[in-house]
Amino acid sequence: MSAASASPPHDVFDIEHMPVEDDPRAWSPFRKNVVLVLIAAASLIAGIATNIQNPANANMEADLPATPSQISLSLSLFIALQGLFPLLWSALSEVKGRKLVYVLSLAIAAAGSVVVAISKTITLVIIFRCVQAVGSSAVMSLGAATLADIFDPSERGTKMGIYYMAPLLGPSLAPMAGGALTTGFNWRAPFWFMAAVTGLSGISIFLFLKDTFRKERSLTYQNVLKSRLKSRTASAATSCTTTVVEREPTGQERGGSPALPADVEKQPNDSLDEATVVLPEKLTLRDVNPFTPLWLVLRRKNNVVILVASGLMFAFNYVVGFTAARTLSSAYGYDALIVGLVLLSFGLGNLAGSLLGGRWSDIKLAQYKAANGGVGYPEMRLRSTKYAFILIPPCILTFGWLSDQRVHVAALCVFLFLAGFFMIWAYTSTLAYVVDANNGRSATAVALNSAFRGISAFVATEIAVPLQDSVGDGWHYTIWAGLLILAGLFVWLVEWKGAGWRLAAEKRERAAEDS
């Protein structure tokens, strides 16, 4: 499917390119890439935190002690909170800036890791794994918003691909790192490791990252400010209905009757002194309301459909490592370290797909814009996912039935790599679309994307084991292939209809503001 040949009209108000002081998009390539490296490294650490506990579960059960259901609860709650809490972090970042949120959240994650490492009961482990999830969740969602702050849409796909390989590679590296640390020391070692690297990441961001947030380009900030100014104007209007502007009398007025007072509201804007223009205010935490910007993103049909597709893709990306590890451990008899090495093939596929998929997305976007008279719009980017969505289901089906038949592990590695490659090829473009289609609300949109991902991964993880045990690997992955066909259809629907939905929503929003 393809979008309509007629290009959507230009937005009346392009907040993404508002002039700002020290424009992050005018920074040198080196400075931009330093930001990219810092954020990607923090995201890698957050990705590792998700799965690093898995190889230590048996040791934790014996030492604390704990039941398998309690260990499972600690994992499920971690996934859910890491997906949901960015909704608050994103709202805070839209009025307080990105850097403050990064430093605060990483400090919380480091503190949570320390307490888990010294815990004597499973209750403390569960509570502070939740704290660790809350802290590690910010960088998982705000990273894309930070890249939107410093990179134009023409290069955003490539940079998004480089960035996003980090949190996707993290869950693949985590079992190997967790297995090595647990084998060499004990189950507490992975959490001491997480405390150290998380703290180091937070210190690096504090020292070397200059905030990329500019309030002039944030619709959330502007709407909060507008609401406060409207309240102040209404309050002032009740105490004074007429404002007199003092001026020198004209020659006619000197010789004639006295001039009537002039109503300032009837003067043209350029007649007002600059002192009457309200200067930007400093907003407080009381102004942070995450629900209003969330609703503004969710009421657009194109956003809801693409977020559902994104949730399905991420859920598979998370579950495949979990269920494949069970098969490799029980059916193939591999220990934690070997399981981690096999799953690394999926992570390497993610890595290659993220790099090449992002670059391919930018190349195709440039071609489509050139063919459309130099005019582009966000939905054009989704056309680059066509081949990936065609190839994802066969790769998953083949991997599933090879696992079911217990063939040589080398074949599993090949199809794990291909499934990871094509999955992230498609996912990179959908994430870039979420940012491009929500100018001024990119942090909120990406946080919602994290929420959809977290909820989807939570549900998928809860049903994965009973489904795998009841129907076997072959049919389990066949069901996932069907779900990802559905995700592809959703993405193509947004490519076809999304521009019309998005522009109609923008028109309604402008009409509501004018009224």
Side-chain angles (χ1 to χ4, degrees):
M1 298 179 188
S2 61
S5 58
S7 62
H10 292 292
D11 291 337
V12 173
F13 179 57
D14 183 12
I15 194 170
E16 189 171 6
H17 292 93
M18 285 287 289
V20 295
E21 184 179 352
D22 189 21
D23 189 348
R25 294 187 184 171
W27 290 352
S28 68
F30 174 79
R31 189 175 180 184
K32 290 181 180 181
N33 288 328
V34 167
V35 174
L36 176 58
V37 168
L38 288 171
I39 300 307
S43 297
L44 175 65
I45 294 167
I48 291 174
T50 306
N51 287 347
I52 199 169
Q53 176 185 325
N54 289 344
N57 286 341
N59 301 62
M60 294 172 70
E61 289 177 17
D63 185 58
L64 286 169
T67 64
S69 61
Q70 289 173 319
I71 295 294
S72 177
L73 179 63
S74 71
L75 296 171
S76 298
L77 288 175
F78 187 98
I79 299 166
L81 287 173
Q82 197 178 58
L84 291 172
F85 218 81
L87 299 176
L88 179 59
W89 288 128
S90 68
L92 183 60
S93 78
E94 290 287 351
V95 293
K96 293 298 181 181
R98 318 287 192 219
K99 183 173 181 175
L100 172 66
V101 172
Y102 284 137
V103 173
L104 177 62
S105 63
L106 289 170
I108 291 172
S113 300
V114 169
V115 178
V116 173
I118 62 175
S119 293
K120 301 296 185 182
T121 65
I122 186 60
T123 302
L124 270 181
V125 169
I126 292 173
I127 292 172
F128 283 92
R129 274 289 276 171
C130 290
V131 172
Q132 188 185 25
V134 167
S136 65
S137 65
V139 70
M140 299 284 281
S141 62
L142 293 184
T146 300
L147 298 189
D149 294 339
I150 62 178
F151 294 110
D152 275 312
S154 60
E155 56 181 342
R156 198 173 286 162
T158 300
K159 302 301 182 181
M160 205 74 75
I162 295 171
Y163 156 73
Y164 215 75
M165 70 185 181
L168 292 171
L169 188 59
S172 298
L173 294 175
M176 187 169 58
L181 289 166
T182 303
T183 302
F185 300 95
N186 53 42
W187 70 264
R188 301 178 189 274
F191 298 105
W192 283 118
F193 170 78
M194 289 308 305
V197 295
T198 304
L200 180 62
S201 176
I203 292 170
S204 299
I205 287 176
F206 177 75
L207 294 176
F208 302 114
L209 178 70
K210 186 169 184 179
D211 205 340
T212 63
F213 175 75
R214 297 295 181 268
K215 58 181 176 289
E216 295 88 350
R217 292 177 176 170
S218 169
L219 281 175
T220 301
Y221 184 97
Q222 297 294 342
N223 288 338
V224 169
L225 188 59
K226 185 187 299 182
S227 175
R228 283 178 57 173
L229 296 179
K230 187 179 294 185
S231 299
R232 180 173 299 178
T233 302
S235 176
T238 60
S239 60
C240 181
T241 58
T242 304
T243 303
V244 176
V245 175
E246 295 183 6
R247 56 184 175 83
E248 291 293 325
T250 63
Q252 181 179 357
E253 290 164 352
R254 290 191 186 100
S257 59
L260 294 175
D263 190 339
V264 73
E265 293 183 357
K266 295 180 181 179
Q267 306 302 312
N269 289 338
D270 56 4
S271 69
L272 298 180
D273 187 90
E274 290 184 1
T276 66
V277 179
V278 179
L279 298 175
E281 299 189 20
K282 184 176 181 180
L283 305 187
T284 67
L285 292 177
R286 289 177 297 178
D287 296 303
V288 179
N289 178 5
F291 299 108
T292 299
L294 289 179
W295 167 242
L296 291 173
V297 172
L298 278 175
R299 70 180 180 181
R300 296 187 179 188
K301 287 187 284 187
N302 62 303
N303 285 336
V304 173
V305 175
I306 205 73
L307 290 172
V308 171
S310 173
L312 289 172
M313 286 187 279
F314 183 83
F316 171 78
N317 226 56
Y318 188 83
V319 165
V320 68
F322 179 50
T323 53
R326 295 184 75 239
T327 299
L328 292 167
S329 185
S330 60
Y332 287 79
Y334 294 152
D335 62 22
L337 187 58
I338 301 301
V339 169
L341 289 172
V342 173
L343 293 180
L344 188 59
S345 61
F346 187 76
L348 292 174
N350 284 167
L351 177 66
S354 188
L355 286 170
L356 298 178
R359 181 60 180 157
W360 174 261
S361 174
D362 282 345
I363 291 172
K364 299 306 290 183
L365 178 62
Q367 290 177 355
Y368 296 140
K369 285 178 66 175
N372 197 42
V375 178
Y377 49 95
E379 288 72 22
M380 281 182 172
R381 188 183 294 278
L382 297 178
R383 299 182 198 177
S384 65
T385 65
K386 178 171 60 177
Y387 297 114
F389 277 117
I390 290 172
L391 293 170
I392 287 169
C395 292
I396 295 173
L397 281 170
T398 306
F399 171 75
W401 287 103
L402 289 176
S403 299
D404 194 74
Q405 297 302 311
R406 309 299 187 241
V407 302
H408 193 277
V409 72
L412 301 187
C413 289
V414 170
F415 285 95
L416 272 174
F417 177 89
L418 292 175
F421 179 85
F422 292 117
M423 179 65 62
I424 300 308
W425 183 294
Y427 188 82
T428 299
S429 292
T430 60
L431 181 63
Y433 172 78
V434 168
V435 174
D436 293 347
N438 291 278
N439 288 344
R441 296 192 184 100
S442 58
T444 302
V446 176
L448 269 172
N449 184 62
S450 294
F452 273 73
R453 290 182 343 185
I455 293 169
S456 300
F458 175 81
V459 173
T461 303
E462 289 296 305
I463 66 175
V465 172
L467 181 62
Q468 188 181 27
D469 290 343
S470 61
V471 301
D473 284 333
W475 286 111
H476 171 245
Y477 288 109
T478 299
I479 292 170
W480 271 110
L483 289 173
L484 291 166
I485 290 173
L486 182 63
L489 293 175
F490 283 166
V491 172
W492 293 339
L493 177 62
V494 174
E495 181 216 322
W496 181 36
K497 292 287 190 180
W501 291 342
R502 179 173 50 82
L503 292 170
E506 290 173 359
K507 185 177 180 180
R508 288 194 300 270
E509 289 169 11
R510 287 194 294 267
E513 289 176 2
D514 293 340
S515 63

